[in-house]
Amino acid sequence: TKTAPLLDRRVSKSVAVRTDAEGMSNINLRFSVDVRTPIHFLPNNRLVVTALEGEEGRKRVLLRRADGETLEILEAEIGDPSIEVVTSTVVEKEHRGALEAIPGDVWLELALDGDAPIGSRTGKLHLSTNHPAAPSLEVSYAARVRPLIEPRPAGARLWPSPVVSGEGHSNILTLSLNRKGRFTVTGVTVSHPEIFSADVISNEPGPRQLLRVELIEGVGPDTITGTIQGWIEMTTDIPGYSSLAVPVLAAASREGTLRRFPTARRK
Protein backbone atom coordinates (compact mmCIF):
# COMPACT_ATOMS: atom_id res chain seq x y z
CA THR A 1 0.00 0.00 0.00
CA LYS A 2 1.12 3.57 -0.67
CA THR A 3 0.77 6.12 2.12
CA ALA A 4 0.66 9.92 2.01
CA PRO A 5 3.79 11.78 3.22
CA LEU A 6 1.87 13.55 6.01
CA LEU A 7 0.04 10.49 7.30
CA ASP A 8 0.91 9.91 10.97
CA ARG A 9 -1.31 7.17 12.40
CA ARG A 10 -2.12 3.47 12.30
CA VAL A 11 -3.52 2.28 8.98
CA SER A 12 -5.52 -0.95 8.70
CA LYS A 13 -6.15 -2.81 5.45
CA SER A 14 -7.97 -5.97 4.50
CA VAL A 15 -7.38 -8.37 1.62
CA ALA A 16 -10.01 -10.75 0.26
CA VAL A 17 -8.52 -14.08 -0.89
CA ARG A 18 -10.40 -16.75 -2.84
CA THR A 19 -8.99 -20.29 -2.80
CA ASP A 20 -9.90 -23.78 -4.03
CA ALA A 21 -9.54 -25.27 -0.54
CA GLU A 22 -12.63 -27.04 0.69
CA GLY A 23 -14.33 -25.07 3.46
CA MET A 24 -12.00 -22.08 2.95
CA SER A 25 -13.03 -20.74 -0.43
CA ASN A 26 -13.06 -17.14 0.88
CA ILE A 27 -10.54 -15.76 3.36
CA ASN A 28 -10.26 -12.19 4.64
CA LEU A 29 -6.79 -11.16 5.73
CA ARG A 30 -6.34 -7.99 7.77
CA PHE A 31 -3.14 -6.16 8.71
CA SER A 32 -2.22 -2.90 10.40
CA VAL A 33 0.74 -0.59 9.87
CA ASP A 34 1.96 2.27 12.05
CA VAL A 35 2.75 5.08 9.61
CA ARG A 36 5.04 7.89 10.73
CA THR A 37 5.32 11.11 8.76
CA PRO A 38 8.85 12.24 7.81
CA ILE A 39 7.90 15.90 8.39
CA HIS A 40 5.75 17.11 11.26
CA PHE A 41 3.38 20.08 10.90
CA LEU A 42 2.88 21.66 14.33
CA PRO A 43 0.37 21.96 15.85
CA ASN A 44 -1.23 20.20 12.82
CA ASN A 45 -1.34 20.29 9.04
CA ARG A 46 -4.76 21.97 8.88
CA LEU A 47 -4.02 25.07 6.81
CA VAL A 48 -7.07 27.32 7.14
CA VAL A 49 -6.60 31.06 6.77
CA THR A 50 -9.49 33.44 7.48
CA ALA A 51 -9.89 37.18 7.16
CA LEU A 52 -12.47 39.94 7.24
CA GLU A 53 -13.19 41.83 4.04
CA GLY A 54 -10.51 44.47 3.44
CA GLU A 55 -8.14 43.02 6.05
CA GLU A 56 -5.19 40.63 5.86
CA GLY A 57 -5.32 37.10 7.25
CA ARG A 58 -2.45 34.88 8.34
CA LYS A 59 -1.96 31.24 9.24
CA ARG A 60 1.37 29.98 10.61
CA VAL A 61 2.56 26.42 11.26
CA LEU A 62 5.91 24.98 12.28
CA LEU A 63 7.60 22.30 10.15
CA ARG A 64 10.10 19.85 11.65
CA ARG A 65 11.92 16.82 10.29
CA ALA A 66 11.09 13.68 12.27
CA ASP A 67 14.72 12.48 12.05
CA GLY A 68 16.05 15.61 13.79
CA GLU A 69 17.97 16.88 10.76
CA THR A 70 17.75 20.47 9.49
CA LEU A 71 14.77 21.00 7.23
CA GLU A 72 15.03 23.03 4.06
CA ILE A 73 12.06 24.21 2.01
CA LEU A 74 13.45 24.44 -1.51
CA GLU A 75 10.27 25.65 -3.15
CA ALA A 76 6.75 26.61 -2.09
CA GLU A 77 4.03 27.11 -4.70
CA ILE A 78 0.36 27.94 -4.35
CA GLY A 79 -2.10 28.53 -7.16
CA ASP A 80 -3.90 31.47 -5.57
CA PRO A 81 -2.52 34.93 -6.44
CA SER A 82 -4.15 36.45 -3.34
CA ILE A 83 -2.14 34.20 -0.98
CA GLU A 84 1.59 34.58 -0.37
CA VAL A 85 3.63 31.68 1.06
CA VAL A 86 6.40 32.80 3.42
CA THR A 87 8.99 30.42 4.91
CA SER A 88 11.70 31.25 7.45
CA THR A 89 14.30 28.94 9.00
CA VAL A 90 14.60 28.88 12.79
CA VAL A 91 18.17 29.72 13.84
CA GLU A 92 17.74 29.78 17.63
CA LYS A 93 15.20 28.42 20.08
CA GLU A 94 12.06 30.55 20.30
CA HIS A 95 8.49 30.39 21.54
CA ARG A 96 5.41 31.55 19.68
CA GLY A 97 2.26 30.84 21.61
CA ALA A 98 2.27 27.20 22.70
CA LEU A 99 4.88 26.18 20.11
CA GLU A 100 8.59 25.85 20.83
CA ALA A 101 10.70 26.19 17.69
CA ILE A 102 14.25 24.82 17.63
CA PRO A 103 17.12 25.36 15.16
CA GLY A 104 16.49 23.38 11.99
CA ASP A 105 12.72 23.94 12.04
CA VAL A 106 10.94 26.07 9.45
CA TRP A 107 8.06 28.47 9.96
CA LEU A 108 5.50 28.28 7.16
CA GLU A 109 3.01 31.11 6.85
CA LEU A 110 0.11 31.75 4.48
CA ALA A 111 -0.61 35.47 4.11
CA LEU A 112 -4.02 36.31 2.65
CA ASP A 113 -4.11 39.65 0.84
CA GLY A 114 -6.48 42.37 2.07
CA ASP A 115 -7.93 42.62 -1.44
CA ALA A 116 -8.87 38.93 -1.59
CA PRO A 117 -12.44 38.38 -2.81
CA ILE A 118 -15.25 37.51 -0.42
CA GLY A 119 -16.05 33.80 -0.18
CA SER A 120 -14.45 30.43 0.53
CA ARG A 121 -12.08 28.43 -1.62
CA THR A 122 -9.72 25.48 -1.32
CA GLY A 123 -6.56 24.38 -3.06
CA LYS A 124 -3.21 22.65 -2.74
CA LEU A 125 0.10 23.97 -1.43
CA HIS A 126 3.06 22.30 -3.15
CA LEU A 127 6.34 22.05 -1.21
CA SER A 128 9.77 20.78 -2.24
CA THR A 129 12.06 19.76 0.65
CA ASN A 130 15.52 18.32 1.33
CA HIS A 131 14.08 15.23 3.04
CA PRO A 132 14.93 12.12 0.97
CA ALA A 133 11.69 10.42 2.01
CA ALA A 134 9.56 13.48 1.23
CA PRO A 135 11.14 15.45 -1.62
CA SER A 136 7.73 16.86 -2.49
CA LEU A 137 4.60 17.41 -0.43
CA GLU A 138 1.07 18.43 -1.34
CA VAL A 139 -0.92 20.00 1.51
CA SER A 140 -4.57 21.03 1.31
CA TYR A 141 -5.47 24.57 2.35
CA ALA A 142 -8.66 26.58 2.71
CA ALA A 143 -9.17 30.34 2.62
CA ARG A 144 -12.25 32.24 3.73
CA VAL A 145 -12.96 35.96 3.52
CA ARG A 146 -16.03 37.11 5.42
CA PRO A 147 -17.88 40.25 4.33
CA LEU A 148 -17.74 43.24 6.66
CA ILE A 149 -21.54 43.36 6.53
CA GLU A 150 -23.15 39.94 6.08
CA PRO A 151 -26.79 39.45 5.05
CA ARG A 152 -28.74 36.53 6.56
CA PRO A 153 -30.20 34.86 4.64
CA ALA A 154 -27.82 35.51 1.75
CA GLY A 155 -30.55 37.21 -0.28
CA ALA A 156 -34.30 37.53 -0.85
CA ARG A 157 -36.59 35.16 -2.79
CA LEU A 158 -39.83 36.70 -3.97
CA TRP A 159 -42.85 35.33 -5.80
CA PRO A 160 -46.55 36.32 -5.87
CA SER A 161 -48.49 34.60 -3.10
CA PRO A 162 -52.20 34.60 -2.21
CA VAL A 163 -51.47 36.26 1.13
CA VAL A 164 -49.96 39.73 0.77
CA SER A 165 -47.89 39.39 3.93
CA GLY A 166 -47.11 35.70 3.40
CA GLU A 167 -44.00 33.79 2.37
CA GLY A 168 -42.77 34.84 -1.03
CA HIS A 169 -44.44 38.24 -1.01
CA SER A 170 -42.00 39.69 1.54
CA ASN A 171 -38.68 38.84 3.22
CA ILE A 172 -36.84 40.16 6.25
CA LEU A 173 -33.03 40.26 5.90
CA THR A 174 -30.67 40.72 8.85
CA LEU A 175 -27.53 42.73 8.07
CA SER A 176 -24.82 41.89 10.63
CA LEU A 177 -21.56 43.75 11.20
CA ASN A 178 -18.80 41.12 11.51
CA ARG A 179 -16.66 43.20 13.87
CA LYS A 180 -17.23 45.26 16.99
CA GLY A 181 -19.13 48.48 16.45
CA ARG A 182 -22.39 49.90 15.20
CA PHE A 183 -23.62 51.10 11.85
CA THR A 184 -26.65 52.45 10.04
CA VAL A 185 -27.87 52.02 6.48
CA THR A 186 -27.89 55.49 4.95
CA GLY A 187 -29.38 54.69 1.54
CA VAL A 188 -31.22 51.91 -0.30
CA THR A 189 -31.93 51.48 -4.02
CA VAL A 190 -33.22 48.46 -5.93
CA SER A 191 -32.46 47.22 -9.45
CA HIS A 192 -36.12 46.56 -10.38
CA PRO A 193 -38.30 49.16 -8.61
CA GLU A 194 -41.31 48.08 -10.70
CA ILE A 195 -41.06 44.56 -9.19
CA PHE A 196 -39.87 44.92 -5.59
CA SER A 197 -38.95 47.44 -2.92
CA ALA A 198 -36.59 47.45 0.06
CA ASP A 199 -36.78 49.48 3.26
CA VAL A 200 -34.72 49.62 6.45
CA ILE A 201 -36.90 48.83 9.45
CA SER A 202 -34.82 50.83 11.93
CA ASN A 203 -32.37 53.69 11.42
CA GLU A 204 -30.88 53.51 14.91
CA PRO A 205 -27.15 52.60 14.99
CA GLY A 206 -26.49 48.99 15.98
CA PRO A 207 -24.44 45.86 15.22
CA ARG A 208 -27.39 44.61 13.12
CA GLN A 209 -29.97 46.18 10.87
CA LEU A 210 -33.21 44.71 9.52
CA LEU A 211 -34.29 45.15 5.92
CA ARG A 212 -37.77 44.42 4.59
CA VAL A 213 -37.91 43.35 0.92
CA GLU A 214 -41.31 42.90 -0.72
CA LEU A 215 -43.10 42.75 -4.04
CA ILE A 216 -44.73 45.92 -5.31
CA GLU A 217 -48.52 45.97 -4.94
CA GLY A 218 -50.18 44.56 -8.03
CA VAL A 219 -47.26 42.35 -9.12
CA GLY A 220 -48.67 38.93 -10.03
CA PRO A 221 -47.61 35.75 -11.84
CA ASP A 222 -48.24 37.41 -15.21
CA THR A 223 -45.99 40.34 -14.35
CA ILE A 224 -42.75 38.34 -14.01
CA THR A 225 -41.28 36.48 -16.97
CA GLY A 226 -38.70 33.85 -16.13
CA THR A 227 -36.47 34.50 -13.10
CA ILE A 228 -35.36 38.05 -12.39
CA GLN A 229 -31.92 38.30 -10.79
CA GLY A 230 -31.93 41.68 -9.11
CA TRP A 231 -29.98 43.53 -6.43
CA ILE A 232 -30.51 45.76 -3.45
CA GLU A 233 -27.75 48.35 -3.20
CA MET A 234 -27.09 49.96 0.16
CA THR A 235 -24.76 52.59 1.52
CA THR A 236 -23.72 52.79 5.17
CA ASP A 237 -22.11 55.26 7.55
CA ILE A 238 -18.98 53.08 7.86
CA PRO A 239 -16.04 55.25 6.70
CA GLY A 240 -14.52 54.03 3.46
CA TYR A 241 -17.15 51.37 2.91
CA SER A 242 -18.70 51.60 -0.54
CA SER A 243 -22.18 50.37 -1.33
CA LEU A 244 -23.13 46.76 -0.61
CA ALA A 245 -25.22 44.84 -3.16
CA VAL A 246 -27.45 42.00 -1.87
CA PRO A 247 -29.06 39.61 -4.40
CA VAL A 248 -32.80 39.22 -5.01
CA LEU A 249 -34.43 36.41 -7.02
CA ALA A 250 -38.00 37.06 -8.19
CA ALA A 251 -40.17 34.70 -10.25
CA ALA A 252 -43.80 33.88 -10.98
CA SER A 253 -43.62 30.91 -8.57
CA ARG A 254 -41.45 29.64 -5.74
CA GLU A 255 -39.85 27.04 -8.01
CA GLY A 256 -38.41 29.79 -10.17
CA THR A 257 -36.43 31.20 -7.23
CA LEU A 258 -34.84 27.89 -6.18
CA ARG A 259 -31.33 28.59 -7.35
CA ARG A 260 -28.16 29.57 -5.59
CA PHE A 261 -27.66 33.23 -4.73
CA PRO A 262 -24.63 34.98 -6.21
CA THR A 263 -22.29 36.29 -3.52
CA ALA A 264 -23.25 39.63 -2.00
CA ARG A 265 -20.74 42.15 -3.29
CA ARG A 266 -19.44 45.65 -2.84
CA LYS A 267 -19.79 48.07 -5.72
Side-chain angles (χ1 to χ4, degrees), residues 188-198 214-217 219 228 230-231:
V188 179
T189 59
V190 299
S191 60
H192 296 75
E194 75 283 3
I195 300 296
F196 62 89
S197 64
E214 57 188 353
L215 291 175
I216 297 297
E217 184 179 355
V219 171
I228 295 175
W231 296 89

Side-chain angles (χ1 to χ4, degrees), residues 22 24 30 39 45 55 69 84 136 175 177 227 230 257:
E22 186 177 352
M24 297 185 65
R30 186 174 179 84
I39 298 178
N45 63 356
E55 299 180 2
E69 298 295 325
E84 181 184 7
S136 63
L175 307 174
L177 184 64
T227 298
T257 67

Side-chain angles (χ1 to χ4, degrees), residues 249-263:
L249 296 176
S253 65
R254 180 177 181 273
E255 288 70 23
T257 67
L258 297 180
R259 62 176 65 177
R260 186 172 182 176
F261 287 118
T263 302

Side-chain angles (χ1 to χ4, degrees), residues 80-176:
D80 191 328
S82 65
I83 300 179
E84 181 184 7
V85 185
V86 181
T87 60
S88 58
T89 302
V90 178
V91 295
E92 60 182 30
K93 184 180 292 187
E94 59 179 292
H95 289 84
R96 293 189 186 182
L99 292 177
E100 180 184 64
I102 59 178
D105 293 349
V106 173
W107 288 107
L108 172 70
E109 185 174 57
L110 300 186
L112 185 61
D113 191 276
D115 293 327
I118 295 171
S120 299
R121 55 197 185 278
T122 60
K124 298 288 186 180
L125 168 64
H126 302 274
L127 300 175
S128 298
T129 83
N130 68 332
H131 198 303
S136 63
L137 298 174
E138 192 175 73
V139 189
S140 298
Y141 75 87
R144 183 190 180 199
V145 179
R146 300 180 66 194
L148 180 60
I149 297 176
E150 187 170 6
R152 296 187 179 90
R157 303 180 193 275
L158 300 172
W159 65 90
S161 60
V163 182
V164 173
S165 60
E167 182 186 16
H169 187 274
S170 65
N171 287 186
I172 298 295
L173 301 182
T174 301
L175 307 174
S176 299

